[in-house]
mmCIF file of all heavy atoms in Angstrom:
data_model
loop_
_atom_site.group_PDB
_atom_site.id
_atom_site.type_symbol
_atom_site.label_atom_id
_atom_site.label_comp_id
_atom_site.label_asym_id
_atom_site.label_seq_id
_atom_site.Cartn_x
_atom_site.Cartn_y
_atom_site.Cartn_z
ATOM 1 N N GLY H 1 -39.045 -16.218 -0.035
ATOM 2 C CA GLY H 1 -38.164 -15.052 -0.038
ATOM 3 C C GLY H 1 -36.832 -15.400 -0.664
ATOM 4 O O GLY H 1 -36.585 -16.549 -1.054
ATOM 5 N N PHE H 2 -35.943 -14.421 -0.764
ATOM 6 C CA PHE H 2 -34.632 -14.643 -1.368
ATOM 7 C C PHE H 2 -33.668 -13.576 -0.864
ATOM 8 O O PHE H 2 -34.079 -12.513 -0.391
ATOM 9 C CB PHE H 2 -34.723 -14.571 -2.905
ATOM 10 C CG PHE H 2 -35.267 -13.258 -3.420
ATOM 11 C CD1 PHE H 2 -34.425 -12.212 -3.763
ATOM 12 C CD2 PHE H 2 -36.636 -13.070 -3.555
ATOM 13 C CE1 PHE H 2 -34.920 -11.011 -4.208
ATOM 14 C CE2 PHE H 2 -37.151 -11.860 -4.010
ATOM 15 C CZ PHE H 2 -36.289 -10.826 -4.331
ATOM 16 N N TYR H 3 -32.392 -13.870 -0.975
ATOM 17 C CA TYR H 3 -31.356 -12.906 -0.590
ATOM 18 C C TYR H 3 -30.814 -12.210 -1.836
ATOM 19 O O TYR H 3 -30.562 -12.850 -2.864
ATOM 20 C CB TYR H 3 -30.207 -13.610 0.132
ATOM 21 C CG TYR H 3 -30.553 -14.043 1.534
ATOM 22 C CD1 TYR H 3 -30.953 -15.341 1.797
ATOM 23 C CD2 TYR H 3 -30.473 -13.141 2.603
ATOM 24 C CE1 TYR H 3 -31.264 -15.741 3.091
ATOM 25 C CE2 TYR H 3 -30.787 -13.538 3.886
ATOM 26 C CZ TYR H 3 -31.179 -14.829 4.127
ATOM 27 O OH TYR H 3 -31.495 -15.218 5.408
ATOM 28 N N THR H 4 -30.622 -10.902 -1.744
ATOM 29 C CA THR H 4 -30.065 -10.127 -2.838
ATOM 30 C C THR H 4 -29.120 -9.068 -2.274
ATOM 31 O O THR H 4 -29.383 -8.499 -1.209
ATOM 32 C CB THR H 4 -31.166 -9.445 -3.671
ATOM 33 O OG1 THR H 4 -30.567 -8.571 -4.641
ATOM 34 C CG2 THR H 4 -32.114 -8.631 -2.809
ATOM 35 N N PRO H 5 -28.025 -8.756 -2.978
ATOM 36 C CA PRO H 5 -27.132 -7.699 -2.499
ATOM 37 C C PRO H 5 -27.699 -6.304 -2.718
ATOM 38 O O PRO H 5 -27.231 -5.346 -2.099
ATOM 39 C CB PRO H 5 -25.860 -7.910 -3.333
ATOM 40 C CG PRO H 5 -26.319 -8.583 -4.573
ATOM 41 C CD PRO H 5 -27.459 -9.462 -4.151
ATOM 42 N N THR H 6 -28.714 -6.192 -3.568
ATOM 43 C CA THR H 6 -29.320 -4.880 -3.812
ATOM 44 C C THR H 6 -29.880 -4.316 -2.510
ATOM 45 O O THR H 6 -30.572 -5.006 -1.774
ATOM 46 C CB THR H 6 -30.453 -4.993 -4.852
ATOM 47 O OG1 THR H 6 -29.946 -5.616 -6.028
ATOM 48 C CG2 THR H 6 -31.013 -3.628 -5.201
ATOM 49 N N ALA H 7 -29.580 -3.076 -2.230
ATOM 50 C CA ALA H 7 -30.049 -2.339 -1.044
ATOM 51 C C ALA H 7 -29.262 -2.634 0.216
ATOM 52 O O ALA H 7 -29.499 -2.009 1.252
ATOM 53 C CB ALA H 7 -31.536 -2.562 -0.793
ATOM 54 N N PHE H 8 -28.312 -3.567 0.165
ATOM 55 C CA PHE H 8 -27.503 -3.830 1.357
ATOM 56 C C PHE H 8 -26.744 -2.557 1.752
ATOM 57 O O PHE H 8 -26.142 -1.882 0.924
ATOM 58 C CB PHE H 8 -26.497 -4.958 1.098
ATOM 59 C CG PHE H 8 -25.637 -5.283 2.284
ATOM 60 C CD1 PHE H 8 -26.122 -6.075 3.306
ATOM 61 C CD2 PHE H 8 -24.356 -4.766 2.392
ATOM 62 C CE1 PHE H 8 -25.337 -6.374 4.414
ATOM 63 C CE2 PHE H 8 -23.558 -5.062 3.484
ATOM 64 C CZ PHE H 8 -24.051 -5.858 4.507
ATOM 65 N N GLY H 9 -26.781 -2.236 3.038
ATOM 66 C CA GLY H 9 -26.087 -1.058 3.528
ATOM 67 C C GLY H 9 -26.799 0.256 3.295
ATOM 68 O O GLY H 9 -26.236 1.320 3.553
ATOM 69 N N THR H 10 -28.042 0.197 2.821
ATOM 70 C CA THR H 10 -28.818 1.418 2.589
ATOM 71 C C THR H 10 -30.023 1.461 3.518
ATOM 72 O O THR H 10 -30.322 0.489 4.228
ATOM 73 C CB THR H 10 -29.316 1.488 1.134
ATOM 74 O OG1 THR H 10 -30.392 0.542 0.954
ATOM 75 C CG2 THR H 10 -28.198 1.183 0.148
ATOM 76 N N GLU H 11 -30.741 2.574 3.494
ATOM 77 C CA GLU H 11 -31.941 2.707 4.322
ATOM 78 C C GLU H 11 -33.008 1.681 3.939
ATOM 79 O O GLU H 11 -33.855 1.324 4.773
ATOM 80 C CB GLU H 11 -32.505 4.119 4.177
ATOM 81 C CG GLU H 11 -31.621 5.201 4.768
ATOM 82 C CD GLU H 11 -32.251 6.576 4.660
ATOM 83 O OE1 GLU H 11 -33.456 6.659 4.374
ATOM 84 O OE2 GLU H 11 -31.528 7.565 4.864
ATOM 85 N N LEU H 12 -32.985 1.202 2.705
ATOM 86 C CA LEU H 12 -33.994 0.242 2.266
ATOM 87 C C LEU H 12 -33.820 -1.128 2.926
ATOM 88 O O LEU H 12 -34.717 -1.959 2.879
ATOM 89 C CB LEU H 12 -33.961 0.084 0.744
ATOM 90 C CG LEU H 12 -34.297 1.328 -0.070
ATOM 91 C CD1 LEU H 12 -34.293 1.007 -1.555
ATOM 92 C CD2 LEU H 12 -35.651 1.910 0.342
ATOM 93 N N ALA H 13 -32.669 -1.350 3.540
ATOM 94 C CA ALA H 13 -32.425 -2.619 4.234
ATOM 95 C C ALA H 13 -32.801 -2.558 5.712
ATOM 96 O O ALA H 13 -32.707 -3.576 6.409
ATOM 97 C CB ALA H 13 -30.955 -3.006 4.092
ATOM 98 N N ALA H 14 -33.224 -1.410 6.182
ATOM 99 C CA ALA H 14 -33.529 -1.242 7.604
ATOM 100 C C ALA H 14 -34.602 -2.234 8.061
ATOM 101 O O ALA H 14 -35.653 -2.373 7.432
ATOM 102 C CB ALA H 14 -33.987 0.190 7.864
ATOM 103 N N GLY H 15 -34.315 -2.930 9.141
ATOM 104 C CA GLY H 15 -35.271 -3.853 9.720
ATOM 105 C C GLY H 15 -35.350 -5.204 9.040
ATOM 106 O O GLY H 15 -36.139 -6.066 9.458
ATOM 107 N N LYS H 16 -34.540 -5.438 8.002
ATOM 108 C CA LYS H 16 -34.572 -6.701 7.283
ATOM 109 C C LYS H 16 -33.382 -7.571 7.685
ATOM 110 O O LYS H 16 -32.331 -7.067 8.080
ATOM 111 C CB LYS H 16 -34.556 -6.457 5.771
ATOM 112 C CG LYS H 16 -35.761 -5.689 5.264
ATOM 113 C CD LYS H 16 -35.672 -5.434 3.766
ATOM 114 C CE LYS H 16 -36.878 -4.641 3.278
ATOM 115 N NZ LYS H 16 -36.780 -4.348 1.832
ATOM 116 N N GLU H 17 -33.551 -8.865 7.571
ATOM 117 C CA GLU H 17 -32.466 -9.790 7.876
ATOM 118 C C GLU H 17 -31.358 -9.661 6.828
ATOM 119 O O GLU H 17 -31.653 -9.552 5.621
ATOM 120 C CB GLU H 17 -32.993 -11.215 7.883
ATOM 121 C CG GLU H 17 -31.940 -12.259 8.228
ATOM 122 C CD GLU H 17 -32.496 -13.670 8.223
ATOM 123 O OE1 GLU H 17 -33.701 -13.830 8.477
ATOM 124 O OE2 GLU H 17 -31.705 -14.598 7.964
ATOM 125 N N VAL H 18 -30.116 -9.662 7.266
ATOM 126 C CA VAL H 18 -28.997 -9.592 6.326
ATOM 127 C C VAL H 18 -28.030 -10.747 6.602
ATOM 128 O O VAL H 18 -27.889 -11.215 7.726
ATOM 129 C CB VAL H 18 -28.244 -8.244 6.427
ATOM 130 C CG1 VAL H 18 -29.151 -7.085 6.044
ATOM 131 C CG2 VAL H 18 -27.689 -8.018 7.832
ATOM 132 N N LYS H 19 -27.390 -11.218 5.541
ATOM 133 C CA LYS H 19 -26.377 -12.264 5.644
ATOM 134 C C LYS H 19 -25.250 -11.942 4.670
ATOM 135 O O LYS H 19 -25.436 -11.170 3.725
ATOM 136 C CB LYS H 19 -26.959 -13.645 5.312
ATOM 137 C CG LYS H 19 -27.841 -14.235 6.401
ATOM 138 C CD LYS H 19 -28.267 -15.639 6.056
ATOM 139 C CE LYS H 19 -29.147 -16.242 7.149
ATOM 140 N NZ LYS H 19 -28.422 -16.408 8.415
ATOM 141 N N VAL H 20 -24.112 -12.548 4.918
ATOM 142 C CA VAL H 20 -22.966 -12.367 4.032
ATOM 143 C C VAL H 20 -22.688 -13.685 3.323
ATOM 144 O O VAL H 20 -22.523 -14.728 3.959
ATOM 145 C CB VAL H 20 -21.720 -11.913 4.810
ATOM 146 C CG1 VAL H 20 -20.510 -11.830 3.887
ATOM 147 C CG2 VAL H 20 -21.981 -10.560 5.478
ATOM 148 N N PHE H 21 -22.672 -13.661 1.990
ATOM 149 C CA PHE H 21 -22.360 -14.817 1.167
ATOM 150 C C PHE H 21 -21.121 -14.508 0.333
ATOM 151 O O PHE H 21 -21.123 -13.525 -0.427
ATOM 152 C CB PHE H 21 -23.526 -15.178 0.242
ATOM 153 C CG PHE H 21 -24.785 -15.577 0.963
ATOM 154 C CD1 PHE H 21 -25.796 -14.638 1.186
ATOM 155 C CD2 PHE H 21 -24.973 -16.873 1.420
ATOM 156 C CE1 PHE H 21 -26.963 -15.002 1.832
ATOM 157 C CE2 PHE H 21 -26.138 -17.235 2.080
ATOM 158 C CZ PHE H 21 -27.131 -16.300 2.289
ATOM 159 N N ASP H 22 -20.091 -15.325 0.476
ATOM 160 C CA ASP H 22 -18.849 -15.128 -0.285
ATOM 161 C C ASP H 22 -18.307 -13.710 -0.132
ATOM 162 O O ASP H 22 -17.818 -13.108 -1.094
ATOM 163 C CB ASP H 22 -19.068 -15.441 -1.767
ATOM 164 C CG ASP H 22 -19.492 -16.887 -1.996
ATOM 165 O OD1 ASP H 22 -18.974 -17.771 -1.270
ATOM 166 O OD2 ASP H 22 -20.329 -17.130 -2.880
ATOM 167 N N GLY H 23 -18.431 -13.185 1.075
ATOM 168 C CA GLY H 23 -17.902 -11.863 1.360
ATOM 169 C C GLY H 23 -18.772 -10.704 0.923
ATOM 170 O O GLY H 23 -18.379 -9.544 1.086
ATOM 171 N N VAL H 24 -19.955 -10.988 0.401
ATOM 172 C CA VAL H 24 -20.856 -9.938 -0.082
ATOM 173 C C VAL H 24 -22.115 -9.906 0.771
ATOM 174 O O VAL H 24 -22.760 -10.950 0.985
ATOM 175 C CB VAL H 24 -21.232 -10.159 -1.563
ATOM 176 C CG1 VAL H 24 -22.191 -9.078 -2.039
ATOM 177 C CG2 VAL H 24 -19.986 -10.187 -2.439
ATOM 178 N N GLY H 25 -22.482 -8.717 1.266
ATOM 179 C CA GLY H 25 -23.683 -8.578 2.071
ATOM 180 C C GLY H 25 -24.953 -8.719 1.241
ATOM 181 O O GLY H 25 -25.034 -8.198 0.128
ATOM 182 N N HIS H 26 -25.931 -9.427 1.790
ATOM 183 C CA HIS H 26 -27.211 -9.646 1.117
ATOM 184 C C HIS H 26 -28.358 -9.310 2.066
ATOM 185 O O HIS H 26 -28.235 -9.460 3.283
ATOM 186 C CB HIS H 26 -27.365 -11.095 0.669
ATOM 187 C CG HIS H 26 -26.531 -11.476 -0.504
ATOM 188 N ND1 HIS H 26 -25.140 -11.509 -0.460
ATOM 189 C CD2 HIS H 26 -26.880 -11.840 -1.764
ATOM 190 C CE1 HIS H 26 -24.685 -11.895 -1.644
ATOM 191 N NE2 HIS H 26 -25.725 -12.099 -2.448
ATOM 192 N N VAL H 27 -29.471 -8.917 1.499
ATOM 193 C CA VAL H 27 -30.681 -8.575 2.238
ATOM 194 C C VAL H 27 -31.762 -9.605 1.921
ATOM 195 O O VAL H 27 -31.945 -9.975 0.755
ATOM 196 C CB VAL H 27 -31.188 -7.170 1.852
ATOM 197 C CG1 VAL H 27 -32.456 -6.815 2.632
ATOM 198 C CG2 VAL H 27 -30.106 -6.135 2.083
ATOM 199 N N LEU H 28 -32.467 -10.069 2.949
ATOM 200 C CA LEU H 28 -33.585 -10.981 2.730
ATOM 201 C C LEU H 28 -34.814 -10.183 2.293
ATOM 202 O O LEU H 28 -35.268 -9.285 3.002
ATOM 203 C CB LEU H 28 -33.911 -11.755 4.003
ATOM 204 C CG LEU H 28 -35.130 -12.693 3.925
ATOM 205 C CD1 LEU H 28 -34.898 -13.800 2.896
ATOM 206 C CD2 LEU H 28 -35.440 -13.292 5.304
ATOM 207 N N GLU H 29 -35.338 -10.503 1.120
ATOM 208 C CA GLU H 29 -36.547 -9.862 0.604
ATOM 209 C C GLU H 29 -37.665 -10.894 0.549
ATOM 210 O O GLU H 29 -37.474 -12.009 0.068
ATOM 211 C CB GLU H 29 -36.299 -9.290 -0.797
ATOM 212 C CG GLU H 29 -35.241 -8.209 -0.860
ATOM 213 C CD GLU H 29 -35.724 -6.872 -0.314
ATOM 214 O OE1 GLU H 29 -36.915 -6.770 0.064
ATOM 215 O OE2 GLU H 29 -34.913 -5.931 -0.277
ATOM 216 N N ARG H 30 -38.841 -10.520 1.046
ATOM 217 C CA ARG H 30 -39.980 -11.434 1.081
ATOM 218 C C ARG H 30 -40.753 -11.392 -0.223
ATOM 219 O O ARG H 30 -40.872 -10.356 -0.873
ATOM 220 C CB ARG H 30 -40.901 -11.067 2.248
ATOM 221 C CG ARG H 30 -40.229 -11.121 3.617
ATOM 222 C CD ARG H 30 -39.798 -12.537 3.966
ATOM 223 N NE ARG H 30 -40.925 -13.459 3.995
ATOM 224 C CZ ARG H 30 -41.675 -13.691 5.075
ATOM 225 N NH1 ARG H 30 -41.400 -13.078 6.221
ATOM 226 N NH2 ARG H 30 -42.664 -14.550 5.023
ATOM 227 N N ALA H 31 -41.315 -12.540 -0.587
ATOM 228 C CA ALA H 31 -42.112 -12.646 -1.800
ATOM 229 C C ALA H 31 -43.387 -11.805 -1.682
ATOM 230 O O ALA H 31 -43.855 -11.499 -0.584
ATOM 231 C CB ALA H 31 -42.469 -14.101 -2.063
ATOM 232 N N ILE H 32 -43.920 -11.436 -2.832
ATOM 233 C CA ILE H 32 -45.175 -10.682 -2.895
ATOM 234 C C ILE H 32 -46.247 -11.531 -3.556
ATOM 235 O O ILE H 32 -46.046 -12.083 -4.639
ATOM 236 C CB ILE H 32 -45.002 -9.379 -3.699
ATOM 237 C CG1 ILE H 32 -44.157 -8.374 -2.914
ATOM 238 C CG2 ILE H 32 -46.365 -8.772 -4.057
ATOM 239 C CD1 ILE H 32 -43.849 -7.107 -3.684
ATOM 240 N N ARG H 33 -47.390 -11.626 -2.898
ATOM 241 C CA ARG H 33 -48.600 -12.161 -3.516
ATOM 242 C C ARG H 33 -49.723 -11.171 -3.256
ATOM 243 O O ARG H 33 -49.667 -10.389 -2.304
ATOM 244 C CB ARG H 33 -48.964 -13.534 -2.955
ATOM 245 C CG ARG H 33 -48.064 -14.660 -3.475
ATOM 246 C CD ARG H 33 -48.675 -16.030 -3.240
ATOM 247 N NE ARG H 33 -49.977 -16.200 -3.864
ATOM 248 C CZ ARG H 33 -50.148 -16.526 -5.149
ATOM 249 N NH1 ARG H 33 -49.114 -16.704 -5.940
ATOM 250 N NH2 ARG H 33 -51.372 -16.683 -5.634
ATOM 251 N N ALA H 34 -50.720 -11.185 -4.116
ATOM 252 C CA ALA H 34 -51.783 -10.187 -4.026
ATOM 253 C C ALA H 34 -53.150 -10.844 -4.199
ATOM 254 O O ALA H 34 -53.267 -11.994 -4.648
ATOM 255 C CB ALA H 34 -51.576 -9.114 -5.087
ATOM 256 N N ASP H 35 -54.173 -10.088 -3.848
ATOM 257 C CA ASP H 35 -55.544 -10.551 -4.082
ATOM 258 C C ASP H 35 -55.874 -10.520 -5.570
ATOM 259 O O ASP H 35 -56.539 -11.412 -6.092
ATOM 260 C CB ASP H 35 -56.534 -9.657 -3.324
ATOM 261 C CG ASP H 35 -56.270 -9.636 -1.835
ATOM 262 O OD1 ASP H 35 -56.197 -10.720 -1.235
ATOM 263 O OD2 ASP H 35 -56.115 -8.532 -1.280
ATOM 264 N N TRP H 36 -55.402 -9.461 -6.237
ATOM 265 C CA TRP H 36 -55.735 -9.226 -7.644
ATOM 266 C C TRP H 36 -54.493 -8.847 -8.436
ATOM 267 O O TRP H 36 -53.572 -8.241 -7.889
ATOM 268 C CB TRP H 36 -56.739 -8.077 -7.772
ATOM 269 C CG TRP H 36 -58.045 -8.313 -7.098
ATOM 270 C CD1 TRP H 36 -58.347 -8.100 -5.780
ATOM 271 C CD2 TRP H 36 -59.240 -8.816 -7.705
ATOM 272 N NE1 TRP H 36 -59.643 -8.431 -5.521
ATOM 273 C CE2 TRP H 36 -60.225 -8.876 -6.684
ATOM 274 C CE3 TRP H 36 -59.577 -9.211 -8.999
ATOM 275 C CZ2 TRP H 36 -61.519 -9.325 -6.933
ATOM 276 C CZ3 TRP H 36 -60.868 -9.655 -9.249
ATOM 277 C CH2 TRP H 36 -61.825 -9.710 -8.224
ATOM 278 N N ALA H 37 -54.516 -9.182 -9.725
ATOM 279 C CA ALA H 37 -53.544 -8.635 -10.676
ATOM 280 C C ALA H 37 -54.324 -8.040 -11.835
ATOM 281 O O ALA H 37 -55.164 -8.724 -12.435
ATOM 282 C CB ALA H 37 -52.591 -9.709 -11.181
ATOM 283 N N PHE H 38 -54.079 -6.777 -12.104
ATOM 284 C CA PHE H 38 -54.644 -6.107 -13.275
ATOM 285 C C PHE H 38 -53.514 -5.945 -14.280
ATOM 286 O O PHE H 38 -52.532 -5.241 -14.007
ATOM 287 C CB PHE H 38 -55.196 -4.728 -12.920
ATOM 288 C CG PHE H 38 -56.451 -4.738 -12.086
ATOM 289 C CD1 PHE H 38 -57.016 -3.542 -11.662
ATOM 290 C CD2 PHE H 38 -57.069 -5.918 -11.708
ATOM 291 C CE1 PHE H 38 -58.170 -3.525 -10.896
ATOM 292 C CE2 PHE H 38 -58.225 -5.908 -10.927
ATOM 293 C CZ PHE H 38 -58.779 -4.713 -10.532
ATOM 294 N N ILE H 39 -53.640 -6.595 -15.436
ATOM 295 C CA ILE H 39 -52.583 -6.528 -16.426
ATOM 296 C C ILE H 39 -53.172 -6.174 -17.792
ATOM 297 O O ILE H 39 -54.386 -6.265 -17.994
ATOM 298 C CB ILE H 39 -51.800 -7.860 -16.515
ATOM 299 C CG1 ILE H 39 -52.702 -8.996 -17.009
ATOM 300 C CG2 ILE H 39 -51.188 -8.216 -15.155
ATOM 301 C CD1 ILE H 39 -51.961 -10.302 -17.235
ATOM 302 N N ARG H 40 -52.294 -5.779 -18.718
ATOM 303 C CA ARG H 40 -52.734 -5.462 -20.082
ATOM 304 C C ARG H 40 -51.931 -6.288 -21.071
ATOM 305 O O ARG H 40 -50.705 -6.363 -20.974
ATOM 306 C CB ARG H 40 -52.550 -3.975 -20.386
ATOM 307 C CG ARG H 40 -53.093 -3.577 -21.757
ATOM 308 C CD ARG H 40 -53.048 -2.064 -21.941
ATOM 309 N NE ARG H 40 -53.671 -1.680 -23.195
ATOM 310 C CZ ARG H 40 -53.002 -1.479 -24.335
ATOM 311 N NH1 ARG H 40 -51.689 -1.611 -24.360
ATOM 312 N NH2 ARG H 40 -53.651 -1.130 -25.438
ATOM 313 N N ALA H 41 -52.641 -6.918 -22.017
ATOM 314 C CA ALA H 41 -52.003 -7.755 -23.023
ATOM 315 C C ALA H 41 -52.436 -7.308 -24.420
ATOM 316 O O ALA H 41 -53.370 -6.515 -24.575
ATOM 317 C CB ALA H 41 -52.355 -9.223 -22.799
ATOM 318 N N ARG H 42 -51.769 -7.857 -25.418
ATOM 319 C CA ARG H 42 -52.098 -7.507 -26.805
ATOM 320 C C ARG H 42 -53.257 -8.344 -27.324
ATOM 321 O O ARG H 42 -54.244 -7.824 -27.812
ATOM 322 C CB ARG H 42 -50.858 -7.703 -27.700
ATOM 323 C CG ARG H 42 -51.118 -7.414 -29.194
ATOM 324 C CD ARG H 42 -51.372 -5.930 -29.419
ATOM 325 N NE ARG H 42 -51.700 -5.632 -30.810
ATOM 326 C CZ ARG H 42 -52.924 -5.635 -31.321
ATOM 327 N NH1 ARG H 42 -53.949 -5.941 -30.541
ATOM 328 N NH2 ARG H 42 -53.144 -5.337 -32.571
ATOM 329 N N THR H 43 -53.137 -9.670 -27.229
ATOM 330 C CA THR H 43 -54.185 -10.554 -27.720
ATOM 331 C C THR H 43 -54.530 -11.610 -26.683
ATOM 332 O O THR H 43 -53.710 -11.968 -25.831
ATOM 333 C CB THR H 43 -53.761 -11.273 -29.024
ATOM 334 O OG1 THR H 43 -52.599 -12.070 -28.762
ATOM 335 C CG2 THR H 43 -53.443 -10.274 -30.122
ATOM 336 N N ALA H 44 -55.763 -12.108 -26.787
ATOM 337 C CA ALA H 44 -56.217 -13.197 -25.918
ATOM 338 C C ALA H 44 -57.257 -14.022 -26.643
ATOM 339 O O ALA H 44 -58.081 -13.479 -27.400
ATOM 340 C CB ALA H 44 -56.812 -12.649 -24.628
ATOM 341 N N ASP H 45 -57.234 -15.331 -26.436
ATOM 342 C CA ASP H 45 -58.356 -16.155 -26.868
ATOM 343 C C ASP H 45 -59.315 -16.286 -25.687
ATOM 344 O O ASP H 45 -59.043 -15.780 -24.593
ATOM 345 C CB ASP H 45 -57.877 -17.516 -27.387
ATOM 346 C CG ASP H 45 -57.067 -18.318 -26.365
ATOM 347 O OD1 ASP H 45 -57.320 -18.172 -25.156
ATOM 348 O OD2 ASP H 45 -56.176 -19.092 -26.786
#
């Protein structure tokens, strides 16, 4: 996970851990992993 100031003080931060770094509020966001990734590319070998 990582801390970001984005969403601090908004409804999107509800229930998440928050900390203050250098006077700026940050929200802890958890990493995302998935079972599958479906992507589109131009070329492949």
Side-chain angles (χ1 to χ4, degrees):
F2 58 93
Y3 287 97
T4 173
T6 306
F8 180 80
T10 74
E11 292 183 14
L12 297 183
K16 298 178 181 178
E17 182 180 332
V18 297
K19 285 185 180 295
V20 176
F21 297 96
D22 299 323
V24 179
H26 287 66
V27 180
L28 176 63
E29 298 285 357
R30 301 296 300 272
I32 289 175
R33 285 197 59 83
D35 302 307
W36 299 84
F38 289 178
I39 64 175
R40 184 173 185 265
R42 178 68 183 89
T43 61
D45 58 31

